[in-house]
Amino acid sequence: MGKNRSRRELEPFIDRARALARPWRVAEGSRFNLSQVDPQDTGPFGSDDKKEAQIALAQGVETLAGMQDRLWAQDRWALLLIFQAMDAAGKDGAIKHVMSGVNPQGCQVTSFKTPSAEELDHDFLWRCQRCLPERGRIGIFNRSYYEEVLVVRVHPEMLARQRLPQALIGPEIWQQRFEDIRGFERCLARNGIVVRKFFLHLSPEEQRRRFLERIDDPAKQWKFSPSDVAERQLWTEYQRAYEDTIRNTATEQAPWHVIPADHKWFTRLVVASVVVEALADLDLHYPTPDEATRAGLAEARALLMREDDSDK
């Protein structure tokens, strides 16, 4: 299993993860344009390579499980994964498949829905700050504080419900929120919380196909809401908001990964690769016992061995 492998044994899988993750990384966003990423792209894989990619994903999940075990044992770093996307882009599936091998004790997933009355009485970062992962854990945000510069920007009437003083609502509010987000993520990085952000880039044609599949499949109808179609009519506005957000919040400390999402098998493989790469960049290892601890272990072992002798 991955957790029993040495770092040297894991290196081939880590190197492949780096190669798969690198093309989709945006760490300096000033010149970023969404048109640079084709939602149908499958990187080095062809349309007939799905099985090969699935094997690579399984290996990536195993590698991730080993690294997460060390992250948990070391108890120094935390990893925060933020997922943003249009409806039906596959966030839930990516989280489910990529984290399938992780010890549930070391992972926590938080989905952010419409803000509650209590949450609206606080600043826009508050509800997410309360859910940050502890040291040793992987935290996953299914949507996040980025909704405040995406959905709220596309629906500016939502600002009225946030009870902000009128004097603070103006055209500069989005740039101010970008500045606040960059500062927040810089603070997290300086306190040992590694941040990786994913935008799963779906085409409108594929979203339409997935919506129809949900409507026609009784097992998937619960996933669909008529409001999804209403939001789809604002596709262009959302794409502009995502592009501007990525341009203004992509940094070396908290990069975005804009991943093609029309092929779920490829999306999941790249997400797993990004997570493996992020953990590989940390000095993760099992704690080395000090002299006093080693003495205690030796004493405990001796006691247990005497129990075995007395049973004979």
Side-chain angles (χ1 to χ4, degrees):
M1 296 297 291
K3 68 179 181 181
N4 295 322
R5 291 182 177 178
S6 67
R7 174 62 186 240
R8 179 176 296 180
E9 291 174 313
L10 292 175
E11 281 298 337
F13 304 104
I14 293 171
D15 290 343
R16 181 171 60 186
R18 292 190 194 282
L20 285 168
R22 190 177 302 117
W24 318 109
R25 178 185 172 98
V26 183
E28 200 291 308
S30 61
R31 297 182 181 180
F32 174 75
N33 193 303
L34 268 182
S35 64
Q36 298 168 355
V37 180
D38 179 0
Q40 294 187 338
D41 201 342
T42 54
F45 296 93
S47 57
D48 296 329
D49 295 336
K50 180 177 178 179
K51 288 186 177 179
E52 181 183 343
Q54 290 173 330
I55 293 172
L57 174 60
Q59 293 170 339
V61 168
E62 182 182 0
T63 303
L64 169 58
M67 292 182 168
Q68 185 264 338
D69 199 61
R70 290 170 172 83
L71 177 76
W72 173 259
Q74 190 181 49
D75 197 28
R76 290 293 182 273
W77 297 91
L79 177 62
L80 174 62
L81 309 175
I82 297 176
F83 288 83
Q84 295 287 158
M86 297 293 288
D87 292 321
K91 298 190 307 302
D92 293 346
I95 293 168
K96 175 182 177 180
H97 284 80
V98 172
M99 308 308 292
S100 60
V102 170
N103 184 338
Q105 292 184 95
C107 183
Q108 57 199 55
V109 181
T110 307
S111 297
F112 293 97
K113 306 296 185 181
T114 303
S116 67
E118 179 188 21
E119 290 166 344
L120 289 171
D121 267 336
H122 291 82
D123 66 88
F124 77 94
L125 292 168
W126 180 77
R127 66 174 182 161
C128 293
Q129 284 179 304
R130 296 192 303 161
C131 300
L132 290 171
E134 304 167 8
R135 300 191 191 284
R137 290 178 178 267
I138 298 175
I140 299 172
F141 285 178
N142 188 341
R143 302 194 187 278
S144 67
Y145 45 84
Y146 278 102
E147 295 293 280
E148 299 297 329
V149 290
L150 294 167
V151 177
V152 177
R153 189 169 186 178
V154 174
H155 295 279
E157 68 275 8
M158 291 182 176
L159 278 174
R161 295 199 287 272
Q162 296 186 358
R163 302 170 191 146
L164 288 167
Q166 191 60 39
L168 299 181
I169 301 177
E172 68 281 358
I173 191 171
W174 310 117
Q175 288 300 321
Q176 290 173 348
R177 288 191 171 185
F178 290 148
E179 181 181 349
D180 292 339
I181 288 172
R182 291 195 301 270
F184 177 60
E185 292 176 346
R186 183 170 57 248
C187 177
L188 296 181
R190 289 174 175 174
N191 284 274
I193 300 178
V194 176
V195 181
R196 293 294 181 267
K197 302 173 295 195
F198 302 92
F199 173 53
L200 307 188
H201 189 26
L202 184 71
S203 69
E205 296 80 14
E206 180 62 14
Q207 187 196 56
R208 175 179 177 274
R209 189 194 69 79
R210 293 182 187 180
F211 277 172
L212 289 171
E213 183 181 23
R214 289 181 178 184
I215 291 172
D216 295 338
D217 185 348
K220 295 183 178 180
Q221 288 173 352
W222 65 272
K223 293 183 178 182
F224 184 79
S225 168
S227 64
D228 294 340
V229 175
E231 290 296 279
R232 178 177 164 82
Q233 306 312 307
L234 300 170
W235 187 275
T236 300
E237 289 85 345
Y238 271 109
Q239 299 304 296
R240 289 173 182 163
Y242 271 111
E243 186 173 83
D244 198 34
T245 294
I246 293 167
R247 284 177 177 174
N248 282 278
T249 60
T251 66
E252 282 291 341
Q253 291 175 317
W256 280 95
H257 284 81
V258 182
I259 303 175
D262 277 15
H263 298 279
K264 294 179 181 179
W265 55 269
F266 181 70
T267 305
R268 294 164 183 172
L269 176 57
V270 177
V271 170
S273 298
V274 173
V275 180
V276 167
E277 180 187 43
L279 292 175
D281 287 340
L282 307 177
D283 181 25
L284 297 178
H285 54 78
Y286 292 112
T288 302
D290 57 23
E291 186 174 343
T293 302
R294 287 197 297 271
L297 291 172
E299 182 180 351
R301 187 179 190 282
L303 288 171
L304 291 169
M305 292 300 293
R306 283 200 293 272
E307 284 183 15
D308 185 57
D309 292 339
S310 65
D311 289 339
K312 292 180 180 178

